[in-house]
Amino acid sequence: MRLLVALLCLLVGVSLAAPKKTDAQIKEQRTALKKLESDLAKKREELALIETEEKGVLNTLSLLDQNLNQTRIYITELSKNEALVQKAVEQLSRDIDSLDQKIAVRKEAMKKRVRKLYVNGRYSDAEVLYQLLTQKGNPERQAYWVHHVLNEDRIQVETLTSMVQERDEKKRSEEEHLAELNRLRTKKASEEKGLVNQVGSQEKMLLSLKHDKAMQQRALQEFERNQKVMQKLIEKLEEKRKKEIEAARKAEEKRKAEAARKKKQKEKEKEKKVVEKPKKTIAGSVKGPKCMPLEGEVISNYGLQEHPVLHIATRNLGVEIRGKRGQSIRAAAAGTVAMVAEIDGRGPSVIIEHEGGTYSVYGHLRSIRVQEGKEVRNCEEIGEVGDIASLNGIKLYFQVSEGTQTVDPLQWLKSK
C-alpha cells in the first residue's frame, strides 16, 4: 500500500510539473506586459500634451510613430500572454477531468468497502489481527502487518481527501486563468481598435504635411536646425581634441626641457630611454578594420535627396539603416566614447572618437551600454537599436565626420 501511495504521489507530481512551468512563463510574460504598459502610458501622455500645446512637426510625427510601434509590440505581447494562459487553462481542464475519473473510481471502492463492513462487521479484521499477534515469526514483520491492517482504511480516506482538495485547487486556478484570459482578450481588442485610430491620425498628419506648404517649411526648418545642432557638437568635440593635442605638445616640450637640464647636471649618469606616444594628427582616416554598425536595409543615403517621410528635399549628414527590435549596435571602428547624450532629432546617441580626429555617430538608440571615456574595440556592442526621435520606425542613424567635415559613412566603411 505504501508503494502504491508513493507511486500515486509521483504521478501527481508529474501532472503538476507542466502547469507550474506554464505558470512561471505566464508570470514572466505578465511582468513584461507591465513594463510595456508603463512605457506606453508615458508615450501617450507625451502625445496628449502635444495636442494641447504647440509642438514641432518632427517631434509630433516622431511621437506618433513611437506610439504606433509601442502599441504593435504591446498587442504582440498580449497575444503571447493570451496563448500561454489558454495553454494553462487547457492543461488544468485535462488535469481536472483526470482527477474526476480517479476520484470516481476511489469513491466506488470506498462504497464497496463500507458495504462489506456493514455486511460482515469488523470481525474479519479482528480475526486477521489476532492471527498476526499469536502466530510465531519475526516480531517486527508482525508489527508491520498489524499497523498496515489498522491504517489501511485511514490511508484510503486521506488519499481520497487529498485528491478532492487538489481537484478543488485546480478548479479555482482554472477559474482565475479564465478570468485573466477574458481580461487579456478585452484589452487586446481595445488596443487593436486604438491602433486603427492611431494609424488614421498619422496618415492624416502626413497627408496634411504633403499638401500644407507652411507645415513643410516648419518641418524643413526643424530638420536643418537638428542638423546644425549635430554639427555644433562635432565642432566642440574637435575643438576639445585640438586643445588636448596642444596641451600634450606643451607638456612634452616642458618634459624635454627638464630632461635636457638634468642631462647637463648629470653628464655621467646614463641617459634613460624615453618612449614617446605617437602624436595625434588633426584630421585623416582611421586606420585598422571597420565594422558595419547594424545589419539591415539602408533606407536613407548620405547627401541631397527626398526625405522618405517629409517628401521634401533634404541634405543628409549620415545614413539611416532599418533595424529590428532587440538588434545590437556595434562600434564601426576602435576608438573612445566621446559623448553619450540625447541629441535633437537623433534621440539617445553615442559619439565615438577614432584615431586621427574621425568621429562616428549612432542615433535613435533604445538603450546604451557604454559610458563617456570608455575605450571600445572594433565591432564591440555599444547599445540596442530603437525608434526614439525617429519618424519612420526602428532604425539607426549613422554619421561619420573627419574633423568637422562629414563624409559618406558607407564609403568610409569600405576604405582601408
Side-chain angles (χ1 to χ4, degrees):
M1 179 56 69
R2 286 184 177 179
L3 183 60
L4 180 61
V5 172
L7 184 59
L8 181 62
C9 292
L10 180 61
L11 290 172
V12 170
V14 171
S15 69
L16 287 172
K20 282 184 178 179
K21 183 178 180 182
T22 305
D23 285 344
Q25 291 174 326
I26 291 171
K27 186 177 180 181
E28 183 180 340
Q29 197 71 26
R30 194 181 292 137
T31 302
L33 271 179
K34 286 182 179 178
K35 175 68 168 61
L36 280 172
E37 285 171 359
S38 176
D39 293 343
L40 199 54
K42 290 178 183 177
K43 294 296 179 188
R44 287 174 179 173
E45 284 177 8
E46 292 177 25
L47 200 57
L49 187 64
I50 281 180
E51 293 174 354
T52 59
E53 296 182 6
E54 186 65 28
K55 294 288 182 178
V57 176
L58 299 185
N59 190 32
T60 304
L61 283 171
S62 172
L63 283 174
L64 279 169
D65 193 68
Q66 287 178 59
N67 266 277
L68 280 173
N69 287 330
Q70 286 288 89
T71 302
R72 290 189 181 102
I73 292 168
Y74 184 50
I75 289 172
T76 301
E77 294 302 317
L78 281 170
S79 297
K80 289 180 182 177
N81 205 291
E82 179 187 353
L84 282 172
V85 176
Q86 179 66 43
K87 181 180 177 183
V89 168
E90 291 170 357
Q91 182 61 52
L92 284 166
S93 180
R94 288 193 293 269
D95 290 347
I96 290 168
D97 288 343
S98 177
L99 282 168
D100 282 340
Q101 292 174 14
K102 291 175 182 177
I103 289 168
V105 170
R106 196 161 284 275
K107 281 184 175 180
E108 186 61 32
M110 292 292 287
K111 285 180 183 178
K112 290 180 180 178
R113 174 65 173 162
V114 171
R115 191 181 300 116
K116 181 180 178 182
L117 290 173
Y118 179 77
V119 173
N120 299 329
R122 296 291 298 189
Y123 176 75
S124 57
D125 285 350
E127 188 178 51
V128 170
L129 287 172
Y130 177 77
Q131 291 176 357
L132 286 170
L133 292 171
T134 56
Q135 69 183 6
K136 293 181 180 180
N138 188 329
E140 291 183 1
R141 186 164 182 80
Q142 288 174 344
Y144 166 77
W145 282 109
V146 169
H147 179 78
H148 169 74
V149 171
L150 291 174
N151 285 284
E152 182 178 358
D153 289 342
R154 181 179 59 80
I155 291 171
Q156 292 287 344
V157 172
E158 287 177 353
T159 302
L160 178 59
T161 302
S162 175
M163 292 175 72
V164 171
Q165 288 175 347
E166 182 189 350
R167 192 261 183 203
D168 291 342
E169 288 175 5
K170 286 184 178 291
K171 190 62 180 177
R172 283 194 295 271
S173 181
E174 182 188 40
E175 290 170 356
E176 290 172 0
H177 280 70
L178 282 170
E180 184 175 5
L181 191 60
N182 288 330
R183 286 196 299 270
L184 286 169
R185 286 171 176 170
T186 302
K187 187 70 174 175
K188 181 180 172 183
S190 174
E191 289 296 327
E192 286 174 339
K193 184 178 179 181
L195 180 63
V196 173
N197 293 333
Q198 289 180 52
V199 170
S201 297
Q202 187 187 52
E203 289 176 348
K204 184 179 178 181
M205 186 167 185
L206 289 172
L207 188 63
S208 297
L209 181 63
K210 190 174 182 180
H211 298 289
D212 190 332
K213 297 298 181 183
M215 188 182 286
Q216 286 183 2
Q217 187 61 31
R218 290 203 307 273
L220 183 58
Q221 288 172 353
E222 288 176 51
F223 182 86
E224 290 175 346
R225 184 167 61 249
N226 292 340
Q227 299 281 62
K228 288 178 182 178
V229 167
M230 178 61 73
Q231 282 295 81
K232 286 291 183 183
L233 287 173
I234 297 297
E235 287 171 8
K236 285 183 179 180
L237 288 173
E238 180 62 6
E239 184 181 347
K240 178 184 175 184
R241 188 184 74 88
K242 289 179 179 179
K243 286 181 179 179
E244 289 174 351
I245 291 173
E246 181 63 20
R249 184 185 66 78
K250 288 180 179 180
E252 181 66 11
E253 287 178 354
K254 185 177 180 181
R255 185 192 64 77
K256 286 182 177 179
E258 182 67 17
R261 186 182 65 80
K262 287 182 178 180
K263 183 179 179 182
K264 289 179 181 179
Q265 291 177 348
K266 299 179 181 181
E267 292 180 352
K268 294 182 181 181
E269 186 178 339
K270 186 178 180 180
E271 184 180 356
K272 294 181 180 180
K273 187 177 180 182
V274 179
V275 179
E276 297 182 0
K277 293 182 179 180
K279 296 180 182 180
K280 291 183 178 180
T281 56
I282 292 178
S285 298
V286 61
K287 296 178 181 179
K290 299 185 181 72
C291 175
M292 192 70 179
L294 178 69
E295 295 300 327
E297 177 191 2
V298 176
I299 56 175
S300 181
N301 288 297
Y302 175 78
L304 189 65
Q305 60 182 296
E306 181 180 336
H307 195 281
V309 177
L310 303 178
H311 299 293
I312 51 181
T314 57
R315 182 180 178 276
N316 294 342
L317 301 181
V319 298
E320 294 177 338
I321 305 170
R322 174 65 66 210
K324 297 178 182 178
R325 186 184 177 207
Q327 271 187 292
S328 296
I329 303 299
R330 300 180 294 274
T336 304
V337 178
M339 182 178 287
V340 174
E342 183 94 13
I343 301 175
D344 290 346
R346 310 299 174 207
S349 303
V350 172
I351 301 178
I352 297 176
E353 179 186 337
H354 307 285
E355 182 183 359
T358 298
Y359 302 89
S360 58
V361 181
Y362 312 79
H364 306 304
L365 273 63
R366 182 174 181 269
S367 63
I368 295 172
R369 301 190 177 99
V370 291
Q371 299 82 38
E372 289 184 13
K374 175 180 169 59
E375 298 286 337
V376 292
R377 302 182 304 277
N378 174 49
C379 263
E380 182 176 341
E381 184 178 329
I382 61 172
E384 183 181 319
V385 70
D387 63 351
I388 301 175
S390 167
L391 302 183
N392 54 342
I394 298 174
K395 66 183 180 183
L396 168 70
Y397 173 77
F398 179 51
Q399 175 184 318
V400 174
S401 297
E402 292 183 344
T404 58
Q405 183 64 45
T406 60
V407 297
D408 187 339
L410 300 181
Q411 294 301 318
W412 178 79
L413 287 170
K414 295 176 183 177
S415 63
K416 299 293 185 181

